[in-house]
Amino acid sequence: MRASFQLKTIVATLGLLGAAVTSQAYAQNIKFAMVIPTTGPLTQYGDMVKEGVSTAVEQINAGGGINGKKIEVTTVDDACEPKQGPVAANRVVNSKIGYMIGPVCSGAAIAAAPIYDNEGVVVVTPSATSPALTEGKNFHYIFRTIGRDDQQGPSAAKFIIEKAKPTKVAVLHDKQSYGQGIASSVRDQLQKAKVNVALFEGINAGDSDYSAIITKLKSAGVDFVYYGGYHPEMGLLLRQASEQGLKVRMMGPEGVGNPEVNAIAGNAVEGMLVTLPADFSTNPKNAAIVKAFQDKKRNPSGAFQLTAYAATQAIAESIKAVGDDPKKVADHLHKATINTVIGPVSWNKQGDLNAFDFQIFQWHKDGSKTPATK
């Protein structure tokens, strides 16, 4: 009995020592959260961000981590839903995580941002473009590695005015923060240039039949349609317009630039115009990083993979510079210029990038894209 008791004691002690060692090793990690849609109709955008963050973390950890500590990533789902944004934020805060890449969608980001800022969590979104996220908010902890809609909208409008040269334009949107915001920006720029905007109207995201709005477009005699929103609705608009004999060019923001739009629109997707972040994967300086993506069968040329990589880099480089303290990291980001995969980046007082390059691409039915020239 005594020998058995001693053995149990030794085993228990070893177990405690093992737990202590594990706890100590765990404490050496730096926790990042990644808030993305892993459920709902917009999971593809979450996949893009996940590919970028995962590749960046793998590269940073393989290179010795951050000041000798490894990055540990926790994924939190917000389904790109504004109502879920605060829920996800509270999960991050309750997990005592000080750094976060995301949220992916503007509506969820806007709803969650006050919580992150109040609780001192450094947030860098690689994809939320609505000006309302940062405009006039006086946030200290909220940043982006993508431009705003009021940078993207003028790029789209400039192309429409100077290259597409339509006679009559319809501007549609999905009645949501992101879609309506960028559609309004495009409309305003077109009207300033005296382009005839015959229709500015919202559609209901999630509907399956847009024949009523297509009939209205035909009656209005438009020859160009700009749609502010995401790929599910854009795919249906393209397909149903083709089926109903409406021959117009259609254009959308980066939210429609998703391979899934091909499955929805079919051949009608050919020639769709889309504003996207510049294809940073073509920069020769990024060759090694592009190979790291490709080695894992990931796509470095999507809309958000490299902006997500850059978001991870920005946080990691700031921690390297000032230590693992979210307040100091936020202070550093506000005044630093950081070299990233999307080039040198710096932020203004609102946490918006001082400059960002949106370009116009033409989408093809095989899922590829090429720079648009007219």
Side-chain angles (χ1 to χ4, degrees), residues 1-9:
M1 288 287 293
R2 182 172 179 80
S4 175
F5 175 79
Q6 287 176 331
L7 180 59
K8 288 180 180 178
T9 303

Side-chain angles (χ1 to χ4, degrees), residues 42-275:
L42 302 176
T43 56
Q44 293 87 353
Y45 302 110
D47 293 340
M48 293 179 187
V49 170
K50 184 177 181 179
E51 287 188 345
V53 173
S54 298
T55 308
V57 168
E58 289 161 5
Q59 294 289 296
I60 292 167
N61 284 347
I66 303 173
N67 299 333
K69 297 183 178 182
K70 298 294 179 72
I71 302 172
E72 175 187 327
V73 179
T74 297
T75 302
V76 179
D77 177 30
D78 68 1
C80 264
E81 286 285 346
K83 290 181 180 178
Q84 292 301 313
V87 177
N90 284 320
R91 284 187 60 190
V92 173
V93 170
N94 292 337
S95 299
K96 302 189 184 307
I97 299 174
Y99 313 99
M100 197 275 282
I101 297 100
V104 171
C105 295
S106 291
I110 291 166
I115 296 173
Y116 291 117
D117 198 69
N118 289 338
E119 297 295 334
V121 178
V122 175
V123 169
V124 184
T125 174
S127 51
T129 55
S130 173
L133 174 60
T134 52
E135 188 69 38
K137 300 296 175 59
N138 200 33
F139 290 144
H140 186 70
Y141 290 88
I142 311 298
F143 302 86
R144 314 180 206 240
T145 47
I146 193 166
R148 299 181 2 159
D149 289 341
D150 49 7
Q151 293 170 303
Q152 183 176 188
S155 296
K158 186 173 188 291
F159 183 91
I160 295 169
I161 295 161
E162 297 180 0
K163 303 292 185 181
K165 299 178 180 178
T167 58
K168 193 179 289 188
V169 179
V171 179
L172 307 179
H173 59 83
D174 63 2
K175 302 179 184 178
Q176 299 182 49
S177 298
Y178 163 68
Q180 187 166 354
I182 193 161
S184 297
S185 176
V186 171
R187 175 200 60 191
D188 294 347
Q189 294 294 319
L190 293 177
Q191 288 178 336
K192 283 181 184 178
K194 308 299 182 186
V195 174
N196 184 359
V197 179
L199 195 66
F200 181 77
E201 191 161 326
I203 63 172
N204 295 318
D207 282 359
S208 59
D209 183 2
Y210 294 116
S211 57
I213 191 67
I214 289 168
T215 298
K216 191 174 285 191
L217 295 173
K218 291 173 75 172
S219 298
V222 301
D223 57 346
F224 195 98
V225 175
Y226 183 88
Y227 172 67
Y230 294 102
H231 73 277
E233 292 73 35
M234 181 61 140
L236 287 174
L237 286 168
L238 286 163
R239 191 184 79 208
Q240 292 174 8
S242 176
E243 290 170 350
Q244 295 182 44
L246 176 62
K247 296 181 179 179
V248 295
R249 298 187 78 184
M250 291 196 186
M251 183 181 201
E254 89 288 350
V256 307
N258 186 314
E260 186 66 22
V261 74
N262 292 63
I264 300 168
N267 290 341
V269 80
E270 180 65 40
M272 176 185 75
L273 296 167
V274 56
T275 47

